[in-house]
Amino acid sequence: MDPPEHSRYRKALIPEFTVRRIEAMRPGIQSVVDAFIDDLLARVPPVDLVETLAVPVPPAFRRGRTPNRGR
């Protein structure tokens, strides 16, 4: 995505990513990541980190779900 479209999106999203807002989200993010890591460690190796951690964590955080509560 290039300017000016990128600039519009960036301007709209900047207030959502202040240090204060990110710090407020930290406990929730940590909880979701911890649950996914626990799930990952319980699996039999080899485990695909992208498939089991990197891909599902962002949408899980947005929905407030962990591996134990369904994906």
Side-chain angles (χ1 to χ4, degrees):
M1 181 181 318
D2 295 318
E5 186 179 13
H6 176 267
S7 301
R8 277 195 310 273
Y9 283 110
R10 182 179 172 141
K11 185 176 180 179
L13 291 173
I14 288 279
E16 300 298 320
F17 293 98
T18 64
V19 171
R20 182 174 286 141
R21 287 191 106 154
I22 298 300
E23 286 298 321
M25 290 189 294
R26 183 186 295 266
I29 294 169
Q30 188 69 57
S31 176
V32 169
V33 170
D34 287 349
F36 273 91
I37 289 174
D38 289 344
D39 182 59
L40 182 133
L41 292 173
R43 295 176 182 235
V44 176
V47 178
D48 183 334
L49 290 176
V50 172
E51 179 183 304
T52 58
L53 191 64
V55 171
V57 166
F61 172 71
R62 287 191 298 273
R63 290 188 303 259
R65 295 184 178 165
T66 63
N68 301 330
R69 291 187 269 166
R71 291 182 198 169

